[in-house]
Amino acid sequence: MTVVEEGYRAGSGLRMMAADAHRRTFVEADVAQSVSMPQVVIDRIEPEADGVVSLVLTDPHEVPLPAWLPGAHLDVVLPSGRRRQYSLTSDPADRGRYRIAVRHIADGDGGSAEIHARLRAGDRLSVRAVRNTFPFIEARQYLFVAGGIGIAPILSMVHAAERAGTPWRLMYFGRSRARMPFLCELARLTGGDVVVRPDDEFGRPNPWMIFEQAPTGAAVYVCAPPPLAESARQVLSLHDPTASLYIERFAPVS
């Protein structure tokens, strides 16, 4: 079983990854993996779920933004000087905007609170780079597994798979529907299968139930708390050793 793992604490810059070099990325190889840019303007801020807002970012001069790969994240420098990393949640084919999602973390160190309380449409933000170390590969079929705000990097992959006409399935977990962002957007997708299972309706997720549904040889993408991510490795190693497993584990300090 191929395993590619990215684990990071948002804002720390720590990355741990074992790359599968023989696989081809989903988009053309000449698209930059790291693209620097000076500033973006907040076009709008929208509520997406309890405690979660999205920021739609555009170029101040209304020129197309640099291309990016599904799974990429953006380094954002807040007015206070705090630097944070947020996954791009928009459609990679839309060069007119970037979108990030930010959950307010009450016991964090102030980054998410600053975004929720201080930022407004029309504000400008400095951004350092679009970077991608959570590679989206070309595959015959996909299983996506997201926990809570972990939907952020997965959503761009779902859009890419939808456009390509590749079979996909999303298993989306969270504490409650009210706390799970982008449910309405996911409901509009027709090319795959979206399974939404809030804990308050179905109980805690059962890793065997989730990963035994992975089609043989599928590319499996997981962005979820560490216990679920580690369960993916254990279950798939027994259920389907031919699967390719890609993990991003969040431990936010925002």
Side-chain angles (χ1 to χ4, degrees):
M1 180 175 66
T2 299
V3 179
V4 178
E5 180 170 346
E6 179 190 21
Y8 72 87
R9 182 172 296 275
S12 72
L14 177 63
R15 289 284 191 283
M16 297 173 290
M17 178 175 176
D20 185 358
H22 75 275
R23 288 190 176 270
R24 183 163 60 88
T25 54
F26 187 81
V27 299
E28 296 299 326
D30 61 355
V31 175
Q33 295 286 314
S34 179
V35 181
S36 295
M37 64 198 79
Q39 280 193 330
V40 292
V41 62
I42 302 175
D43 181 72
R44 60 186 184 273
I45 300 177
E46 298 180 336
E48 300 292 351
D50 288 352
V52 180
V53 296
S54 65
L55 280 66
V56 176
L57 311 173
T58 59
D59 184 272
H61 306 291
E62 299 183 352
V63 300
L65 294 164
W68 54 283
L69 304 174
H73 69 267
L74 184 68
D75 286 4
V76 178
V77 182
L78 301 176
S80 65
R82 294 181 177 95
R83 180 174 175 175
R84 294 292 179 268
Q85 300 164 346
Y86 297 107
S87 295
L88 290 168
T89 69
S90 45
D91 186 342
D94 183 356
R95 297 280 301 279
R97 63 174 188 152
Y98 292 154
R99 184 180 63 181
I100 60 175
V102 182
R103 183 180 294 282
H104 183 204
I105 301 175
D107 57 352
D109 69 350
S112 66
E114 180 178 354
I115 289 174
H116 278 250
R118 292 185 54 188
L119 296 186
R120 298 291 184 270
D123 290 348
R124 293 196 179 196
L125 293 174
S126 297
V127 290
R128 295 288 178 86
V130 173
R131 293 188 290 175
N132 196 325
T133 51
F134 190 34
F136 186 50
I137 67 165
E138 186 175 354
R140 289 180 296 179
Q141 46 196 334
Y142 300 97
L143 173 64
F144 302 111
V145 179
I149 198 62
I151 192 63
I154 296 294
L155 191 54
S156 64
M157 299 181 181
V158 170
H159 279 297
E162 175 94 347
R163 177 175 299 100
T166 305
W168 59 270
R169 180 180 179 88
L170 169 66
M171 306 286 290
Y172 186 14
F173 302 89
R175 294 182 183 177
S176 67
R177 291 180 188 269
R179 291 176 54 85
M180 298 168 71
F182 304 116
L183 288 177
C184 291
E185 181 172 333
L186 289 167
R188 293 193 294 268
L189 301 178
T190 60
D193 183 20
V194 178
V195 178
V196 178
R197 295 183 65 90
D199 293 352
D200 62 352
E201 298 177 27
F202 298 94
R204 301 296 295 272
N206 181 335
W208 286 96
M209 179 273 294
I210 299 168
F211 298 108
E212 282 186 334
Q213 298 185 49
T216 301
V220 181
Y221 282 86
V222 180
C223 189
L228 186 56
E230 182 57 33
S231 296
R233 187 196 314 272
Q234 297 172 358
V235 175
L236 284 173
S237 64
L238 297 175
H239 170 66
D240 180 16
T242 68
S244 297
L245 174 60
Y246 298 81
I247 299 173
E248 185 174 62
R249 297 182 300 174
F250 277 74
V253 298
S254 295

